[in-house]
Every structure is written in structure tokens, then in C-alpha cells.
Amino acid sequence: MRPDDQAGMILGILRESYPNAQTALVHGNPFELLVSTILSAQCTDQRVNVVTQELFTRYRTPEDFAHIPRRVLEREIHSTGFFRMKAGNIIGCARAILERYKGEVPAKMAELVSLPGVGRKTANVVLSEAFGISEGIVVDTHVHRVSKRLGLAGSDSPVRIEEELMDRYPRRDWREVGTLLILHGRAVCRARSPQCASCSVSHLCPSAELYL
DNA sequence: ATCCCGAGGG
DNA sequence: CCCTCTGGAT
């Protein structure tokens, strides 16, 4: 296919820049991905992976996590920040999944966002990466920043940005759009000093600081 | 709008 | 020092 629109061309180029784009959060099952995604709030995925590499050797299932004393889990995830809230939410998720969903992570948006500490962003990560379900597009701090810079979205609220992206891309690309914009935001279109000179889509970017 | 919270980079 | 990192609840 030869996309002739701005959004399509950007996706096509990013697709070549980042082959096999998928979440950088290391996980072995849907529940591990849920835990990793909760831990990833305001924290680098690299640090999350360091913490979970150790954590998941001791606990892997909702049953395991539901019985961890809060103080113990707080200590294990301390370096990811927001550790009290995250520990409470992770244990709360584990117990809710045990009691309400027979120990299986639910594969529905409404049920996922009913879990403590799980919003639309986290739910979209789990739905798309663990279950292959594209109900929406992941809008995190990277997607927020990059889509605005590229002119793919003009809003400030995550929900509206998600709607704008969903309107621009076919559903089959939703998962890829999220992961590609995250990867590009982390590697090139950084918050502090964007690397416009080495950006593969700078020629399509209204915000690019062109100097070459 | 504010709070939760640590770690790394510039 | 200040800013940022795959947010969510109040």
C-alpha cells in the first residue's frame, strides 16, 4: 500500500525505523504485563524491567501477589517511585482478579479499568499487547508529546488525543501506532532535546527544528 | 489542579 | 539545581 496522507506516511516510515515494534516491558503472561504497566507510571521501562526480573522469579500469578505483605512488596518495587500507591494497587488488582475474575486477567476494557490503579492507558497496553485486542490506542506521555509535535493530534487531554489518532488510523494499526510513537519518543523525539537532525520523519513534522 | 515518589540526565 | 520517565485517583 502507498499511503498518500500525512499520518499514513509517518506510520510507514516509523514502521521501517522500528521493525517488530512491541512493548519493551518484559513479561511472561497477561498478569505480569499488568503489573509491569502499573509499575511503569512515571518510571523508565528499563528500571521496571530491572525490578520485575527479580520480582517475577518470586511471584508470577494473582494468587502469589495477593498474599504478599504490603511492606514487603513496597520494598521490592521501591526504586520505581510511587511505591506505596503502586504496591497497594498491585495487591488490590491481584485480589480483585481472584475474587471477581476467577484468577484470570479480564480481556475487556470496562473490567480492566475497574481494577485499582488501572486507567485507560494501562488497559490499552494489556488489551493490545497481551490479548491482541485493539479497543483504543495507548496514550502515554510519549504518545502525547510526539503526536502533538507531528501534528497528528491537537488536543491536550489524553482521551481526545486518543480519539484523534483513532480517527486518523485504521483499527488494524492502533496497536502499532502506540508502540511506534512510544519508541520514537524515547529514542529520538525526546521531551528535553529532540534529535530532529536524525529524525526519519522530520520532513513531515511541523515542529521540526531544521538545521542541515 | 494536586498528590504520589525514586532515580537518572543535563 | 531542574526536568523527565509507557499515570491514576482525588
Side-chain angles (χ1 to χ4, degrees):
Chain A
M1 63 187 75
R2 302 184 299 103
D4 55 348
D5 60 303
Q6 189 88 346
M9 287 194 290
I10 289 171
L11 176 61
I13 293 169
L14 291 182
R15 199 177 262 152
E16 293 181 16
S17 302
Y18 310 96
N20 296 340
Q22 55 187 341
T23 178
L25 298 171
V26 178
H27 61 282
N29 58 53
F31 187 71
E32 287 187 358
L33 179 59
L34 176 61
V35 172
S36 296
T37 308
I38 290 173
L39 291 177
S40 74
Q42 299 300 104
C43 179
T44 62
D45 56 335
Q46 185 178 353
R47 176 153 298 280
V48 171
N49 288 335
V50 169
V51 168
T52 56
Q53 182 176 7
E54 184 74 18
L55 189 66
F56 292 160
T57 62
R58 304 181 185 180
Y59 323 100
R60 284 175 291 105
T61 67
E63 287 85 351
D64 297 333
F65 278 88
H67 299 106
I68 309 175
R70 191 156 298 149
R71 293 303 171 85
V72 173
L73 185 55
E74 285 180 3
R75 176 160 25 86
E76 308 227 30
I77 68 173
H78 179 273
S79 68
T80 66
F82 295 166
F83 59 90
R84 294 186 186 88
M85 183 194 61
K86 288 176 180 176
N89 285 337
I90 288 169
I91 293 171
C93 278
R95 292 178 178 169
I97 289 170
L98 275 183
E99 295 169 6
R100 286 151 50 190
Y101 305 112
K102 302 175 181 176
E104 298 293 326
V105 178
K108 292 186 177 180
M109 174 65 75
E111 296 178 346
L112 283 169
V113 297
S114 77
L115 298 172
V118 178
R120 202 176 160 81
K121 178 264 171 183
T122 299
N124 270 327
V125 170
V126 172
L127 283 175
S128 62
E129 298 286 342
F131 295 116
I133 297 172
S134 292
E135 178 147 346
I137 295 177
V138 173
V139 178
D140 66 343
T141 179
H142 291 305
V143 176
H144 184 133
R145 179 182 68 254
V146 176
S147 55
K148 285 200 73 173
R149 282 180 178 168
L150 281 169
L152 295 174
S155 317
D156 270 318
S157 88
V159 175
R160 287 188 184 174
I161 290 174
E162 183 178 358
E163 290 171 353
E164 290 189 69
L165 292 174
M166 289 166 70
D167 193 49
R168 274 184 170 75
Y169 290 105
R171 183 181 292 264
R172 66 173 180 276
D173 292 331
W174 287 359
R175 184 201 65 81
E176 207 175 14
V177 167
T179 52
L180 284 173
L181 292 180
I182 288 169
L183 288 176
H184 193 60
R186 189 176 58 192
V188 178
C189 196
R190 304 201 285 248
R192 189 70 74 90
S193 48
Q195 312 293 99
C196 299
S198 59
C199 176
S200 56
V201 291
S202 62
H203 59 295
L204 299 173
C205 180
S207 313
E209 303 166 10
L210 297 174
Y211 56 99
L212 201 66

